[in-house]
Amino acid sequence: MDDLSYGTRDKRGNWAPKDPVAGVAPFYALPPRPMAVLRWLKDYLFPWNMAFFLTALLYWAVVIPPVDTMQNLAWGWTLKLLAINAAGIAVFYGAFELRFYMQRAQGHRFKYNPKFPWDNRSGVFWFGNQQIDGFLRTFLHGVPIWTALEVGALWAYANGYVPWLAWADHPLWLAALIFFVPFIQEAHFYCIHRLIHVPFLYKHVHSVHHNSINPSPWSSLAMHPVEHLMYFSVGLWHLILPSNPFVMLFQMHRAAFGAIPGHVGFEKMELGERGAVDMHAYSHYLHHKYFEVNYGDGIVPFDALFGTWHDGTKEADEKMKARFRAKKARTKALKGGTSAD
């Protein structure tokens, strides 16, 4: 495919899509825009959210043990779930890493940053390598923390410590919860993301993730353990909201497997000469590039409301730079004990 039919490439080789990235989904438009909502709905459901829903469904049918087993925190079923979670991440993340970064099957087509992390070693990463660093952080504490929270939630449901709504009694509510799983994750992620950009937490926690300025698949869960705990705690909302363990499981899968599209570093994954799957990665790539924009992805429009949305245009660049200058002036004024005005 010709990526220049879909975007532009600057003198340094950085690729960007032609169209601005929408910071507010048409879901919120007034007056309503039904055709725009239908187009948005297709991208909202397919392929990624549907894929994560299906993996959760497969887990529920094959992996999750009976209720009486989950009532006890025994090593057997918990270690089995840990092993299957690890295998799932290894296969899913590994497939993207193999195609895009090891085989380099697309070359630089649709790649935002022309550089490949493997070619640029850095002392900020374990063993000086971004991929190795991300791989180790994913499996040493990312997957274990995800699994521990998942096990704890399943145990709480099985013992009746939280409401377990039955599908037969609450079909519309549970169906609505499933539909809004990405909204819950977006709202949760935005809030914790703004929190870990507070200077102290950024320095000691979130900077680990931001070491990947040019993200790749294993950057997805390259986090400090504290950030892993905050990130995967999204599933615990289903212990507060009246919910069902399957919906909780889908929420966890949306967090674990859903981190990939935003970090793959490519706009599209080519399928043959003409077909492609959209990765919807550019907005989060801009966050890794500029640090203080796009704390979310626009499903819940907090960035647009609070002035931190960057749609990839030059106009957004200028607004961002003006905001940075104003912030710098405020900081300088505070240090000097004078008014920023």
Side-chain angles (χ1 to χ4, degrees), residues 28-334:
Y28 302 99
L30 290 175
R33 298 164 53 201
M35 295 308 298
V37 170
L38 288 175
R39 290 191 296 271
W40 169 84
L41 192 61
K42 175 179 173 292
D43 289 334
Y44 177 75
L45 295 175
F46 301 99
W48 302 115
N49 285 326
M50 182 57 69
F52 307 139
F53 173 80
L54 292 175
T55 63
L57 197 62
L58 180 64
Y59 264 57
W60 187 253
V62 177
V63 177
I64 303 302
V67 174
D68 57 349
T69 300
M70 294 190 293
Q71 288 174 342
N72 300 295
L73 294 174
W75 285 112
W77 73 274
T78 57
L79 289 179
K80 178 183 176 183
L81 185 57
L82 174 63
I84 293 173
N85 283 346
I89 291 294
V91 170
F92 191 61
Y93 283 37
F96 287 97
E97 181 71 29
L98 176 66
R99 176 179 176 83
F100 286 120
Y101 288 88
M102 298 177 72
Q103 295 177 337
R104 301 190 183 182
Q106 286 186 203
H108 294 89
R109 293 190 301 278
F110 297 105
K111 191 174 189 310
Y112 305 128
N113 188 318
K115 297 178 180 179
F116 284 87
W118 196 272
D119 299 334
N120 297 275
R121 303 179 71 83
S122 171
V124 301
F125 300 112
W126 288 348
F127 303 101
N129 185 285
Q130 180 173 312
Q131 271 92 340
I132 293 174
D133 181 279
F135 180 89
L136 291 175
R137 292 182 187 278
T138 295
F139 290 104
L140 287 177
H141 40 80
V143 173
I145 288 172
W146 162 31
T147 305
L149 291 172
E150 202 168 50
V151 165
L154 290 169
W155 172 80
Y157 275 116
N159 284 284
Y161 297 139
V162 294
W164 180 331
L165 300 189
W167 281 94
D169 298 329
H170 305 277
L172 295 179
W173 170 252
L174 291 175
L177 270 185
I178 284 179
F179 179 83
F180 283 107
V181 154
F183 286 77
I184 294 170
Q185 183 177 343
E186 177 83 359
H188 175 88
F189 180 68
Y190 180 90
C191 292
I192 67 163
H193 202 178
R194 289 306 300 258
L195 177 62
I196 56 181
H197 270 263
V198 170
F200 178 84
L201 289 175
Y202 183 86
K203 178 180 179 180
H204 296 286
V205 176
H206 193 45
S207 60
V208 170
H209 187 65
H210 267 287
N211 287 335
S212 300
I213 297 172
N214 179 17
S216 57
W218 290 116
S219 304
S220 304
L221 292 179
M223 302 175 184
H224 188 282
V226 171
E227 184 171 356
H228 277 135
L229 185 63
M230 297 171 73
Y231 178 71
F232 284 114
S233 66
V234 65
L236 303 185
W237 284 107
H238 296 277
L239 306 185
I240 301 170
L241 298 168
S243 190
N244 177 284
F246 170 74
V247 186
M248 180 278 300
L249 193 65
F250 175 33
Q251 189 79 68
M252 289 290 203
H253 278 227
R254 179 59 164 65
F257 295 103
I260 265 282
H263 293 90
V264 76
F266 286 76
E267 177 75 4
K268 294 178 181 290
M269 179 173 64
E270 295 177 353
L271 301 175
E273 294 183 2
R274 296 185 179 180
V277 174
D278 288 328
M279 302 304 297
H280 304 296
Y282 194 57
S283 63
H284 196 64
Y285 168 77
L286 290 174
H287 178 74
H288 277 261
K289 184 176 182 180
Y290 296 126
F291 288 55
E292 295 185 29
V293 299
N294 298 2
Y295 294 96
D297 287 330
I299 298 175
V300 178
F302 288 150
D303 279 298
L305 287 172
F306 297 117
T308 54
W309 183 253
H310 193 307
D311 62 5
T313 62
K314 291 182 179 179
E315 291 78 11
D317 260 348
E318 292 305 315
K319 288 181 180 179
M320 176 189 69
K321 291 173 183 177
R323 184 162 55 88
F324 288 172
R325 286 193 295 268
K327 180 180 178 181
K328 185 177 180 179
R330 289 195 301 270
T331 302
K332 185 177 180 180
L334 288 171

